[in-house]
Structures are given as structure tokens and as C-alpha cells.
Amino acid sequence: MRTIGYIIQKEFKQIFRNKGMLPIIFILPILQLVILSNAATYEVKNIKFAYIDADRTSTSRSLIEKFNASSYFDVLMDLPSNKMANSAMLAGEVDVVLEIPNHFERNLIKEKSATLGISINAIDGAAAGLESVYINQIIQGYNRDIRVSLMDTSHRSIKPMNISSIPSFWYNTSLDYKTFMVPGILVLLVTMITLFLSGMNIVREKEIGTLEQINVTPIKKSQFIIGKLFPFWIIGMGLLTIGLILAKLIFNTPMLGSIPLLYLYTSIYILVILGMGLLISNFTDTQQQAMFIAWFFIVIFILMSGLFTPIESMPQWAQIFTEINPIKYFVEVMRMVLLKGSGLQDILPQLLKTLAYALVMNALAVWSYKKVN
Amino acid sequence: MGISLSNIDKSYKKQIAVRNITFDVNPGELFGLIGPDGAGKTTIFRILATLLLPDNGKATVAGLDIIKDYKAIRNSVGYMPGRFSLYQDLTVEENLNFFATIFGTTIAENYDLIKDIYEQIAPFKDRRAGKLSGGMKQKLALSCALIHKPKVLFLDEPTTGVDPVSRKEFWEMLKRLQKRGITILVSTPYMDEAALCDRIALIQEGEILDIDTPQAIVDKFPKDIYNVKADNMYKLIQTLQRYEHTYSVFPFGEFVHYTDKRVTFKTEELQHYLESSGLNAITIAPTHADIEDAFMELAKK
């Protein structure tokens, strides 16, 4: 025990003496949380909108007025021709072009229907999809109004029939993306920092030659590994604490569930990450190699974690793959506990899988750590 | 209770590192492994320090088998690798404390053994190890290797990159440690340090050329050896190499060490040859062979 205690003490001394490392451990994650949570949004705002109004009637103007009133669209210009619209789109000046054809009003009154042309810049497919939904909503709303006003005069007997659904959004009533993102980004911080630090740590001793000196001492593998990794476990828990405080103070993230439960889960989760870091350390010779491998895994795990894109929309094989992604479980648990107020019973499947993962990872890591070549 | 190696082989992939290494170090002996870089000295150390498994052969350290009893060996040997391998971001005292702790001892318990050495670096005990000079780093590393009172000490090129004064001090320390009954195996590429060992093994390309006391190795040198000097060193060496009776020519400090093929050799003849080749200020004087000459001679075969 005394040996482990001394190694831990030594690790902490080294971490706090490394002037370049301290800000990386504590300042960068905070910056990331603040910046990413504000920037990583699914909402598409300030869509650059232009229109070609070939009709120039009060009906067409009121349609454009609808777009003007929406906070999603910036109505930028009135283009005289299709050709100009194309070149503006090509130059990236506009994202959406609405084309109101000639005789739009007349067709609406006479034939009860009219067509509109909409072109959307779809380089970013997800954004284009959203834009299309917004446009449809506006046009549908407009449709309802126009039907009422147009029909009122001619067919008094026919009342417009409308079935409307009123959705109620649970757990995030205002559909605030920050409520959704902050817990996810918190996961990212805890994971990245602990994986990078633990992955580079033992390899660093290899690089500077101290590992050779350690290996000729009678110290046990387990003592050394626990002594080396425990400080990063503490740092991981510390990061979670800082992250939760910031989430509450800056983003007012709801915290419905039990915070001790979250700590319990995180304490097991960090073991998975530390085991992974140690495994990377064992198979690399330099910090550079360790860093690249850690990055490789982090990028795959993050993109397939359901943090940014829902797992349900991934192809079947990818969904199966996410089963071995520890970040996925942590993202789920974090969101469940904070936003839904889930209890131990609810997160038990994730908890057990993570625990099994931690055992396997650490067994592999300890087994592959060799004092002798 | 010393060190014993028999028929040790080790290859890295296809590259043979050491081949058929056999030697014994007596308890309390100061034994030197002498050879150029890449001769296989470090491989031998790593095998004996239980960091590397040999492909073939048996070895014991302090009576313990390097494979079966590796745990016991780690408790009773001190190893100082060639490269400085202490924590550069910890202070002198913290490093020493760290190694004392992981060997399950304290500085106070074995202080008398390292007192001589540690006292010299004690004024800098709060300085980070990375900020020490080369000589002081070696003293700290030696202190750390001794803190658990080892029976056997392995020192892999301890004086490489250390100034001549510190080197001399270092060897004096080794002599004192030897008096306390510690068996010491030391390697060095410096031939002058070889003479300070009780016995030496000359190794080259993974094989042992000879094992004996430094004096005996020098005495085995089969030829008379001469110090030759002239005004133009480079030209002198070239001229001597062209000489038909030359057996060997090696630059040696300000002189060239020369041996002749013939049994009867007259210095006047050589003097005459060198003068006729356009060299001036020639001196030729008989001298004693030393370990370097012996090594060169053995390496030639």
C-alpha cells in the first residue's frame, strides 16, 4: 500500500510540475464545454433567402412577408430572373431561392391550386433537409390562411377542415439543443482527457527510460499500474465535477436524476477508458504513436456515440458496432440521468455492460503489460 | 554468490547480439566488460538484470537463476542503465525517496552505504534531477541503484559523457563500494578505465575475445611496441601503413603505436625510411603495450 501511495504522490507531483500540461487538463476542457455547447447546434438559423416574384400581386407579396416574419430566414434579395438566381446560388450568396410563377394569384383563385419553385443548396444535406421542413411549414401555414380568405368570399357554406396535431415535447420541453448537447459534451471532455493522459503516461516513462529502471525493481505490475492510473481516475472525476458545475451555472442544464448515481457510473466508466489508455501504452513506443492511436479511437467513438447523430439513423452494421462503444453508454446514461431523472434501475443495463467492459479492458491491459522482453 | 553466465545467446530478429557468452564474476570482484559500441555489453546487462530473456544458456546472479528467481534477483541487484533514467522532473531527494520506497526501504535505513556519494550531491537535494550536471546525475543514479543495499551492482557505461575529473571520482567510489563486499559488473568503452578493474572481458561483435586481469592481458601482447612521432601525423600513419615490415599501426594520443613483423627490428631502419619519405622531427621509442593495443591485436584475429 505504501508503495502505491508513493507512486500516486509522485504522479501528482509530476502532473502539477508540468507547466504545459496543467492548462491542457483543466482550462481546455472548460473552454471546449463553453464553446462547443454554444456552437454545436442542430438548429439552422439565418438562412440566406432570395425570391423571384414573377407574379407581383398582393398574394405573392404576403407569401414573401411570411418568410420575412420567420426568424429562420434572412430575406436578402429580390432576384429579377432565374439566371441571376442560379448565379447567386453558385456564388454562395443565397441558400434558398423561392420562385413564384406568373399568374400565381390567378391560378390560386381560379383553379384552387398553384405551384411554387424552391431551390435549396444541399451541400450540407442535413441543413437542406431542415430548411425544406421550415419552408414547408411556412407554406402550409400560408396555405391555411389563403384558403380561409379566398374561400370565404365565394363559398360561405364550406368551412375549412383542418386536423392539426399539437406535439408535446417531453424531457426538453422547449427543444433547447443546449440541454441536449451539454451533457453529451461533458462526456466528451471526461473521455478525451483521461484517455489521452493515461495513454501517454506510461509510454512517456518508456520514452525517457525510467520504465527500464522501474522494471528492475521488485515492484509488482498491479502496484505500478494502479499507482500510475489512479491519479487520472481522480482527474476524470474532477473534470466531471467541474463540468457539472459549469453546466448548471452557465447553461442551467436540468439535473433531474441523482448526481451520486452519475458519479457511480462515471467511476466505472473511467476505468474502461484508463484500461484502454494503458493498452495503447503497452503497444506503442513513443507518445506520438500513442496520441495518434488514441485519436483514431476517440474520433470513431465520438462520431458513433449518438452524441451528434442519432444511433437509430445509422446503418445496421454501424448500430451493431456501437454496442462496443463505451462513449455511447456514457452519453446515454448522462442524458438519461440528467434530463429524464432515470434511476439505478433504468441505467442498470448500461452500468453492467460498462462494468464488464472495464473488467475485460483492464484484464487485457494488465496481461499485455510486460516487465520483461 | 557472484555472477555466472554460460553459453548465453541472444538475437534480435536475425541480428545476433551476443553469442556463446560464458564468464564468471567472483563475489566481491570488480569486473569490467570492455568493448566498442554495439559489442553487446548492454544486452548482457539487460539479460542479467532480468529485463531480457536469453535465447539459450544459463545465468545466475548472486546464486539466483535469472529466469526462475527473477523476483529475488530484482531485490538484490542495483542496475544503472547507460542512459540517465531517473525522473527529471523530480528533485534529487524525491528520486532517492521514490526508489527507496519501491524497494520497500527508506533512505535512513541504508544511508551509510550511500553516504559518501550522496553527501556530494546533498547541497542540491531540492534541485530537479534534469537540471543536474552530467557528473552529478551519475552520482544520483548510483545512489538510487544502491539505496536497497544490493549484493550485485550492474553499471552500464556509467562514465560515458562524464568529464575526466568526475570519471576518476566515480571509479574511486566504485573501489570503495567493492571494499564493502558488493560485486560490481561495469562496462566501459574507455580502455584506460579497464586497467582499474580486477578482471576484464574484452568483447567485440557479441563474442568474448579474452578474459583475464588487465595486467595479464597486456602481458600476452606478443610484440614489441614503439611510440612513433613526426611533424605530420596523417602522413606518418599513411607512410607507416605502406611500409613493408609493418605489422600494425594505430594512432594513440600524440603518438602512433607501431609494431614490426620481424623478430629483430632496428629503430634506425625505420627512422631512415620515414626520413626518406619526407617526414621530419621523427622520434621512435619503445613503450609498453596497454589494453587498447591488446584489444586491437585481439580484434584483428
Side-chain angles (χ1 to χ4, degrees):
Chain A
M1 258 336 273
R2 200 170 77 95
T3 313
I4 297 181
Y6 202 85
I7 296 178
I8 292 172
Q9 200 186 328
K10 175 215 115 192
E11 276 315 305
F12 270 119
K13 268 184 198 155
Q14 288 184 303
I15 292 168
F16 286 104
R17 272 181 202 172
N18 194 336
K19 293 280 175 284
M21 215 55 169
L22 266 186
I24 294 178
I25 297 176
F26 291 106
I27 310 290
L28 287 190
I30 293 169
L31 283 179
Q32 279 179 334
L33 184 68
V34 174
I35 294 172
L36 276 184
S37 300
N38 275 309
T41 163
Y42 296 128
E43 282 176 41
V44 181
K45 277 188 178 166
N46 308 326
I47 303 162
K48 289 176 273 184
F49 181 87
Y51 60 91
I52 307 165
D53 188 356
D55 194 38
R56 297 200 179 276
T57 57
S58 63
T59 315
S60 70
R61 269 195 298 277
S62 73
L63 176 59
I64 288 156
E65 211 38 56
K66 282 267 177 199
F67 280 94
N68 232 338
S70 156
S71 63
Y72 295 117
F73 293 94
D74 278 353
V75 179
L76 289 178
M77 49 186 137
D78 170 8
L79 296 164
S81 74
N82 237 323
K83 214 174 146 197
M84 296 267 301
N86 284 345
S87 66
M89 182 81 92
L90 203 60
E93 286 159 10
V94 297
D95 290 326
V96 174
V97 175
L98 173 72
E99 192 185 345
I100 304 173
N102 206 355
H103 309 307
F104 174 68
E105 191 185 58
R106 202 182 72 194
N107 289 348
L108 256 185
I109 296 169
K110 277 174 86 174
E111 292 159 31
K112 310 274 179 289
S113 84
T115 47
L116 290 167
I118 290 164
S119 328
I120 300 173
N121 170 9
I123 283 179
D124 181 349
L130 272 173
E131 283 158 10
S132 147
V133 172
Y134 293 156
I135 293 167
N136 268 325
Q137 275 171 3
I138 291 177
I139 292 174
Q140 263 169 25
Y142 175 76
N143 217 355
R144 265 199 308 276
D145 297 349
I146 201 93
R147 205 185 297 166
V148 176
S149 64
L150 287 179
M151 291 181 175
D152 249 4
T153 47
S154 46
H155 306 275
R156 275 182 189 280
S157 53
I158 301 167
K159 291 240 163 79
M161 293 283 284
N162 259 326
I163 301 168
S164 65
S165 56
I166 302 165
S168 118
F169 297 104
W170 284 27
Y171 311 125
N172 185 1
T173 41
S174 57
L175 286 182
D176 183 355
Y177 73 92
K178 277 181 204 156
T179 304
F180 178 67
M181 286 310 287
V182 170
I185 287 167
L186 207 56
V187 165
L188 206 128
L189 300 183
V190 173
T191 310
M192 272 191 353
I193 299 289
T194 44
L195 182 65
F196 290 165
L197 287 179
S198 64
M200 288 195 305
N201 186 266
I202 288 183
V203 115
R204 178 159 172 261
E205 297 228 6
K206 244 188 231 178
E207 242 178 20
I208 57 178
T210 46
L211 199 62
E212 178 129 326
Q213 193 83 68
I214 296 285
N215 285 348
V216 290
T217 67
I219 191 168
K220 289 195 185 72
K221 264 199 314 197
S222 56
Q223 288 177 327
F224 181 63
I225 289 171
I226 293 172
K228 288 295 280 182
L229 294 186
F230 184 74
F232 299 110
W233 187 84
I234 298 273
I235 287 177
M237 297 305 262
L239 279 173
L240 176 71
T241 311
I242 295 175
L244 284 175
I245 292 172
L246 287 180
K248 189 81 211 163
L249 291 182
I250 302 181
F251 300 105
N252 198 22
T253 305
M255 293 180 190
L256 301 176
S258 133
I259 298 296
L261 181 65
L262 201 58
Y263 273 89
L264 171 74
Y265 178 84
T266 311
S267 66
I268 298 169
Y269 172 79
I270 296 178
L271 295 181
V272 177
I273 300 301
L274 292 180
M276 213 173 266
L278 182 58
L279 202 59
I280 292 173
S281 254
N282 290 344
F283 288 103
T284 49
D285 294 318
T286 63
Q287 295 186 63
Q288 218 173 25
Q289 291 172 357
M291 199 65 183
F292 270 109
I293 294 178
W295 258 117
F296 172 78
F297 281 110
I298 278 281
V299 168
I300 290 184
F301 282 164
I302 286 176
L303 291 181
M304 299 190 77
S305 66
L307 178 59
F308 296 111
T309 48
I311 289 172
E312 291 75 18
S313 57
M314 291 176 191
Q316 191 62 31
W317 62 266
Q319 291 197 26
I320 293 166
F321 176 80
T322 61
E323 287 294 309
I324 57 156
N325 183 352
I327 296 183
K328 166 195 159 177
Y329 297 117
F330 196 16
V331 169
E332 280 176 8
V333 168
M334 188 73 104
R335 283 175 177 163
M336 280 166 81
V337 173
L338 288 183
L339 307 182
K340 265 166 97 175
S342 302
L344 178 63
Q345 207 61 45
D346 306 307
I347 66 159
L348 202 59
Q350 282 89 343
L351 191 73
L352 291 179
K353 279 181 197 167
T354 308
L355 187 64
Y357 208 146
L359 290 175
V360 171
M361 261 305 165
N362 284 288
L364 274 178
V366 173
W367 172 75
S368 65
Y369 175 76
K370 294 251 171 5
K371 279 177 87 174
V372 181
N373 306 24
Chain B
M1 285 295 278
I3 305 163
S4 157
L5 292 88
S6 61
N7 310 102
I8 292 285
D9 290 326
K10 178 73 192 176
S11 309
Y12 300 108
K13 303 248 166 67
K14 276 185 180 159
Q15 179 71 40
I16 294 166
V18 294
R19 185 165 33 190
N20 201 19
I21 298 285
T22 303
F23 66 86
D24 288 294
V25 180
N26 301 321
E29 196 173 21
L30 176 54
F31 192 95
L33 285 178
I34 317 295
D37 292 342
K41 303 188 295 284
T42 302
T43 303
I44 295 174
F45 277 110
R46 290 176 55 91
I47 289 171
L48 291 175
T50 73
L51 287 172
L52 203 62
L53 295 172
D55 299 335
N56 288 305
K58 283 183 94 70
T60 60
V61 174
L64 301 160
D65 187 88
I66 54 156
I67 296 164
K68 273 209 317 280
D69 309 315
Y70 72 96
K71 280 188 181 151
I73 289 182
R74 286 177 185 167
N75 267 313
S76 49
V77 304
Y79 174 44
M80 199 173 133
R83 207 173 129 209
F84 181 70
S85 54
L86 301 178
Y87 293 99
Q88 314 242 5
D89 45 0
L90 294 183
T91 66
V92 168
E93 200 177 18
E94 283 164 351
N95 265 301
L96 197 57
N97 239 323
F98 176 74
F99 284 99
T101 312
I102 60 175
F103 275 107
T105 179
T106 58
I107 297 182
E109 208 171 309
N110 295 319
Y111 189 68
D112 65 307
L113 187 64
I114 60 160
K115 189 167 170 278
D116 272 2
I117 308 157
Y118 188 64
E119 265 176 357
Q120 301 176 44
I121 48 172
F124 312 102
K125 69 182 165 55
D126 294 322
R127 193 181 284 190
R128 304 228 174 133
K131 298 260 190 295
L132 293 174
S133 70
M136 286 202 282
K137 274 183 183 165
Q138 293 311 87
K139 283 170 196 160
L140 175 60
L142 186 59
S143 302
C144 289
L146 285 170
I147 194 65
H148 58 295
K149 226 173 184 171
K151 296 192 190 95
V152 179
L153 195 55
F154 296 126
L155 305 168
D156 191 3
E157 301 202 4
T159 53
T160 299
V162 175
D163 67 272
V165 177
S166 298
R167 268 170 62 187
K168 195 162 165 287
E169 276 175 15
F170 197 87
W171 276 90
E172 282 162 9
M173 281 186 260
L174 293 189
K175 286 283 183 192
R176 281 200 294 274
L177 289 171
Q178 191 196 0
K179 286 203 184 83
R180 306 188 71 142
I182 296 174
T183 310
I184 301 172
L185 181 63
V186 59
S187 75
T188 177
Y190 300 121
M191 302 293 168
D192 56 330
E193 291 182 343
L196 302 167
C197 301
D198 294 338
R199 282 196 305 147
I200 54 175
L202 299 179
I203 61 173
Q204 194 189 30
E205 285 168 9
E207 286 181 89
I208 292 188
L209 302 172
D210 198 6
I211 303 172
D212 219 323
T213 61
Q215 192 54 49
I217 283 185
V218 170
D219 289 346
K220 280 180 207 164
F221 194 76
K223 298 264 175 193
D224 291 327
I225 197 155
Y226 295 89
N227 269 340
V228 184
K229 198 180 170 184
D231 55 349
N232 185 336
M233 189 74 163
Y234 180 65
K235 195 174 171 194
L236 174 66
I237 293 170
Q238 281 194 322
T239 312
L240 282 172
Q241 274 167 349
R242 276 200 305 271
Y243 190 44
E244 54 178 328
H245 301 297
T246 296
Y247 180 72
S248 70
V249 180
F250 295 113
F252 201 93
E254 56 178 329
F255 297 106
V256 170
H257 274 187
Y258 171 80
T259 53
D260 199 89
K261 273 182 193 161
R262 294 161 294 183
V263 184
T264 51
F265 164 68
K266 290 195 180 66
T267 53
E268 295 82 10
E269 234 175 283
L270 180 64
Q271 175 110 19
H272 184 73
Y273 166 74
L274 291 176
E275 272 166 2
S276 67
S277 307
L279 286 153
N280 300 308
I282 297 159
T283 59
I284 301 172
T287 185
H288 296 291
D290 71 3
I291 308 237
E292 191 163 337
D293 296 305
F295 187 90
M296 292 303 201
E297 173 62 22
L298 287 164
K300 236 176 151 177
K301 286 173 185 169

Short mmCIF file of all heavy atoms in Angstrom, two decimals, chain A residues 19 24 44 49 51 54 78 89 124 144 155 163 174 176 185-187 200 211 271 279 289 303 307 311 315 317 323 352:
data_model
loop_
_atom_site.label_atom_id
_atom_site.label_comp_id
_atom_site.label_asym_id
_atom_site.label_seq_id
_atom_site.Cartn_x
_atom_site.Cartn_y
_atom_site.Cartn_z
N LYS A 19 4.23 22.33 -16.49
CA LYS A 19 3.52 23.59 -16.71
C LYS A 19 2.70 23.59 -17.99
O LYS A 19 1.72 24.30 -18.11
CB LYS A 19 4.52 24.76 -16.72
CG LYS A 19 5.17 25.00 -15.37
CD LYS A 19 4.25 25.80 -14.44
CE LYS A 19 4.85 25.94 -13.06
NZ LYS A 19 4.75 24.73 -12.23
N ILE A 24 -3.84 22.17 -20.20
CA ILE A 24 -4.49 21.21 -21.09
C ILE A 24 -5.50 20.39 -20.31
O ILE A 24 -6.58 20.08 -20.79
CB ILE A 24 -3.43 20.30 -21.75
CG1 ILE A 24 -2.56 21.14 -22.66
CG2 ILE A 24 -4.08 19.17 -22.53
CD1 ILE A 24 -1.46 20.39 -23.33
N VAL A 44 -30.93 25.39 -37.72
CA VAL A 44 -30.39 26.13 -38.85
C VAL A 44 -31.04 27.50 -38.83
O VAL A 44 -32.25 27.63 -38.96
CB VAL A 44 -30.68 25.40 -40.17
CG1 VAL A 44 -30.10 26.16 -41.34
CG2 VAL A 44 -30.12 24.00 -40.11
N PHE A 49 -31.98 33.77 -47.86
CA PHE A 49 -33.19 33.52 -48.65
C PHE A 49 -33.34 34.58 -49.74
O PHE A 49 -33.15 35.77 -49.50
CB PHE A 49 -34.39 33.55 -47.70
CG PHE A 49 -35.71 33.28 -48.35
CD1 PHE A 49 -36.18 31.98 -48.51
CD2 PHE A 49 -36.51 34.34 -48.80
CE1 PHE A 49 -37.40 31.73 -49.10
CE2 PHE A 49 -37.73 34.09 -49.40
CZ PHE A 49 -38.18 32.79 -49.55
N TYR A 51 -35.80 35.49 -53.48
CA TYR A 51 -37.01 35.08 -54.19
C TYR A 51 -37.08 35.73 -55.56
O TYR A 51 -36.47 36.77 -55.83
CB TYR A 51 -38.27 35.41 -53.39
CG TYR A 51 -38.43 36.88 -53.09
CD1 TYR A 51 -39.14 37.71 -53.97
CD2 TYR A 51 -37.87 37.44 -51.94
CE1 TYR A 51 -39.27 39.06 -53.70
CE2 TYR A 51 -37.99 38.78 -51.67
CZ TYR A 51 -38.70 39.59 -52.54
OH TYR A 51 -38.83 40.92 -52.30
N ALA A 54 -42.44 36.61 -59.98
CA ALA A 54 -42.87 36.91 -61.34
C ALA A 54 -44.34 37.33 -61.35
O ALA A 54 -44.86 37.78 -62.37
CB ALA A 54 -42.66 35.68 -62.23
N ASP A 78 -34.40 40.32 -53.91
CA ASP A 78 -35.46 40.06 -54.87
C ASP A 78 -34.75 39.93 -56.21
O ASP A 78 -34.17 40.89 -56.71
CB ASP A 78 -36.42 41.25 -54.84
CG ASP A 78 -37.41 41.19 -55.98
OD1 ASP A 78 -37.45 40.16 -56.67
OD2 ASP A 78 -38.14 42.18 -56.15
N MET A 89 -26.79 31.56 -56.31
CA MET A 89 -26.65 30.29 -55.60
C MET A 89 -25.24 29.75 -55.77
O MET A 89 -24.62 29.28 -54.81
CB MET A 89 -27.67 29.30 -56.17
CG MET A 89 -27.69 27.96 -55.51
SD MET A 89 -28.63 27.96 -53.99
CE MET A 89 -30.25 27.48 -54.54
N ASP A 124 -24.75 20.69 -47.62
CA ASP A 124 -24.94 20.12 -46.30
C ASP A 124 -26.34 19.52 -46.27
O ASP A 124 -27.33 20.22 -46.09
CB ASP A 124 -24.77 21.21 -45.25
CG ASP A 124 -24.94 20.66 -43.84
OD1 ASP A 124 -25.39 19.50 -43.72
OD2 ASP A 124 -24.63 21.38 -42.89
N ARG A 144 -53.18 27.59 -45.34
CA ARG A 144 -54.37 27.63 -44.49
C ARG A 144 -55.01 29.01 -44.53
O ARG A 144 -56.20 29.16 -44.76
CB ARG A 144 -53.99 27.29 -43.05
CG ARG A 144 -54.20 25.82 -42.69
CD ARG A 144 -54.26 25.64 -41.20
NE ARG A 144 -53.13 26.24 -40.50
CZ ARG A 144 -51.96 25.64 -40.34
NH1 ARG A 144 -51.77 24.44 -40.85
NH2 ARG A 144 -50.99 26.22 -39.67
N HIS A 155 -67.45 30.65 -51.33
CA HIS A 155 -68.24 29.52 -50.82
C HIS A 155 -68.44 29.66 -49.33
O HIS A 155 -67.70 29.09 -48.54
CB HIS A 155 -67.54 28.19 -51.10
CG HIS A 155 -67.20 28.01 -52.54
ND1 HIS A 155 -68.10 27.53 -53.46
CD2 HIS A 155 -66.06 28.27 -53.22
CE1 HIS A 155 -67.52 27.49 -54.65
NE2 HIS A 155 -66.28 27.95 -54.53
N ILE A 163 -57.07 19.21 -39.60
CA ILE A 163 -56.68 18.36 -38.47
C ILE A 163 -55.28 18.79 -38.09
O ILE A 163 -54.36 18.76 -38.92
CB ILE A 163 -56.65 16.87 -38.85
CG1 ILE A 163 -58.04 16.45 -39.34
CG2 ILE A 163 -56.20 16.02 -37.68
CD1 ILE A 163 -58.05 15.11 -40.00
N SER A 174 -38.70 22.85 -24.31
CA SER A 174 -38.51 23.97 -25.24
C SER A 174 -37.64 23.57 -26.41
O SER A 174 -37.25 24.42 -27.21
CB SER A 174 -37.89 25.14 -24.49
OG SER A 174 -36.69 24.72 -23.90
N ASP A 176 -34.63 22.86 -26.46
CA ASP A 176 -33.38 23.62 -26.39
C ASP A 176 -32.23 22.65 -26.67
O ASP A 176 -32.02 21.70 -25.91
CB ASP A 176 -33.24 24.23 -25.00
CG ASP A 176 -32.00 25.09 -24.89
OD1 ASP A 176 -31.22 25.12 -25.87
OD2 ASP A 176 -31.81 25.72 -23.85
N ILE A 185 -21.43 16.76 -24.34
CA ILE A 185 -20.07 17.32 -24.45
C ILE A 185 -19.28 17.07 -23.17
O ILE A 185 -18.07 16.85 -23.20
CB ILE A 185 -20.15 18.80 -24.85
CG1 ILE A 185 -20.56 18.86 -26.32
CG2 ILE A 185 -18.81 19.49 -24.67
CD1 ILE A 185 -20.96 20.19 -26.80
N LEU A 186 -19.98 17.03 -22.07
CA LEU A 186 -19.35 16.69 -20.79
C LEU A 186 -18.71 15.30 -20.88
O LEU A 186 -17.59 15.07 -20.43
CB LEU A 186 -20.45 16.70 -19.72
CG LEU A 186 -20.03 17.00 -18.31
CD1 LEU A 186 -19.30 18.32 -18.28
CD2 LEU A 186 -21.26 17.06 -17.42
N VAL A 187 -19.41 14.38 -21.51
CA VAL A 187 -18.91 13.03 -21.72
C VAL A 187 -17.62 13.07 -22.51
O VAL A 187 -16.62 12.43 -22.19
CB VAL A 187 -19.96 12.18 -22.48
CG1 VAL A 187 -19.34 10.91 -23.01
CG2 VAL A 187 -21.14 11.89 -21.59
N MET A 200 -0.72 8.37 -22.81
CA MET A 200 0.63 8.89 -22.99
C MET A 200 1.51 8.65 -21.78
O MET A 200 2.72 8.71 -21.86
CB MET A 200 0.57 10.39 -23.26
CG MET A 200 0.04 10.71 -24.63
SD MET A 200 0.39 12.40 -25.06
CE MET A 200 -0.34 13.26 -23.70
N LEU A 211 11.15 3.63 -17.29
CA LEU A 211 10.44 2.35 -17.17
C LEU A 211 11.42 1.21 -16.96
O LEU A 211 11.18 0.28 -16.22
CB LEU A 211 9.57 2.11 -18.40
CG LEU A 211 8.47 1.08 -18.20
CD1 LEU A 211 7.50 1.51 -17.13
CD2 LEU A 211 7.72 0.84 -19.49
N LEU A 271 -12.73 3.70 -15.58
CA LEU A 271 -11.88 2.51 -15.57
C LEU A 271 -11.74 1.92 -16.97
O LEU A 271 -10.67 1.45 -17.36
CB LEU A 271 -12.45 1.45 -14.62
CG LEU A 271 -12.47 1.81 -13.13
CD1 LEU A 271 -13.03 0.65 -12.33
CD2 LEU A 271 -11.08 2.17 -12.64
N LEU A 279 -3.65 0.01 -22.47
CA LEU A 279 -3.48 -0.93 -23.58
C LEU A 279 -2.73 -0.24 -24.73
O LEU A 279 -1.82 -0.81 -25.32
CB LEU A 279 -4.85 -1.40 -24.04
CG LEU A 279 -4.93 -2.72 -24.79
CD1 LEU A 279 -4.39 -3.84 -23.93
CD2 LEU A 279 -6.36 -3.02 -25.18
N GLN A 289 3.04 8.05 -31.18
CA GLN A 289 2.24 6.91 -31.64
C GLN A 289 1.01 6.75 -30.77
O GLN A 289 -0.10 6.56 -31.27
CB GLN A 289 3.06 5.62 -31.54
CG GLN A 289 4.20 5.53 -32.53
CD GLN A 289 5.07 4.31 -32.24
OE1 GLN A 289 4.86 3.58 -31.28
NE2 GLN A 289 6.08 4.10 -33.07
N LEU A 303 -18.01 9.95 -33.07
CA LEU A 303 -18.95 10.06 -34.18
C LEU A 303 -20.00 8.96 -34.14
O LEU A 303 -21.09 9.12 -34.67
CB LEU A 303 -18.20 10.04 -35.52
CG LEU A 303 -17.37 11.29 -35.77
CD1 LEU A 303 -16.67 11.21 -37.11
CD2 LEU A 303 -18.22 12.55 -35.69
N LEU A 307 -23.79 11.09 -29.96
CA LEU A 307 -23.64 12.43 -29.39
C LEU A 307 -24.13 13.48 -30.38
O LEU A 307 -24.87 14.38 -30.01
CB LEU A 307 -22.16 12.65 -29.04
CG LEU A 307 -21.76 14.00 -28.48
CD1 LEU A 307 -22.51 14.29 -27.20
CD2 LEU A 307 -20.26 14.01 -28.19
N ILE A 311 -28.11 7.31 -33.14
CA ILE A 311 -27.69 5.95 -33.49
C ILE A 311 -28.77 5.26 -34.32
O ILE A 311 -28.47 4.48 -35.23
CB ILE A 311 -27.39 5.15 -32.21
CG1 ILE A 311 -26.11 5.68 -31.58
CG2 ILE A 311 -27.25 3.65 -32.49
CD1 ILE A 311 -25.78 5.13 -30.23
N PRO A 315 -26.71 2.87 -40.28
CA PRO A 315 -26.99 1.57 -40.90
C PRO A 315 -26.85 0.44 -39.87
O PRO A 315 -26.20 0.61 -38.84
CB PRO A 315 -25.94 1.45 -42.00
CG PRO A 315 -24.91 2.46 -41.67
CD PRO A 315 -25.59 3.54 -40.91
N TRP A 317 -25.12 -2.33 -39.60
CA TRP A 317 -23.79 -2.77 -39.13
C TRP A 317 -23.21 -1.76 -38.15
O TRP A 317 -22.56 -2.11 -37.17
CB TRP A 317 -22.84 -3.00 -40.30
CG TRP A 317 -22.57 -1.77 -41.13
CD1 TRP A 317 -23.23 -1.38 -42.26
CD2 TRP A 317 -21.59 -0.76 -40.88
NE1 TRP A 317 -22.72 -0.20 -42.72
CE2 TRP A 317 -21.71 0.20 -41.90
CE3 TRP A 317 -20.61 -0.58 -39.90
CZ2 TRP A 317 -20.90 1.33 -41.97
CZ3 TRP A 317 -19.80 0.54 -39.97
CH2 TRP A 317 -19.96 1.49 -40.99
N GLU A 323 -22.41 -1.05 -30.12
CA GLU A 323 -22.52 -1.82 -28.89
C GLU A 323 -21.20 -1.88 -28.12
O GLU A 323 -21.18 -2.02 -26.90
CB GLU A 323 -22.97 -3.26 -29.20
CG GLU A 323 -24.43 -3.37 -29.58
CD GLU A 323 -25.36 -3.00 -28.44
OE1 GLU A 323 -25.18 -3.54 -27.34
OE2 GLU A 323 -26.25 -2.17 -28.66
N LEU A 352 -24.07 -2.33 -16.18
CA LEU A 352 -23.49 -3.67 -16.18
C LEU A 352 -22.57 -3.86 -17.37
O LEU A 352 -21.49 -4.43 -17.26
CB LEU A 352 -24.60 -4.72 -16.18
CG LEU A 352 -25.38 -4.80 -14.87
CD1 LEU A 352 -26.48 -5.84 -14.96
CD2 LEU A 352 -24.45 -5.12 -13.70
#
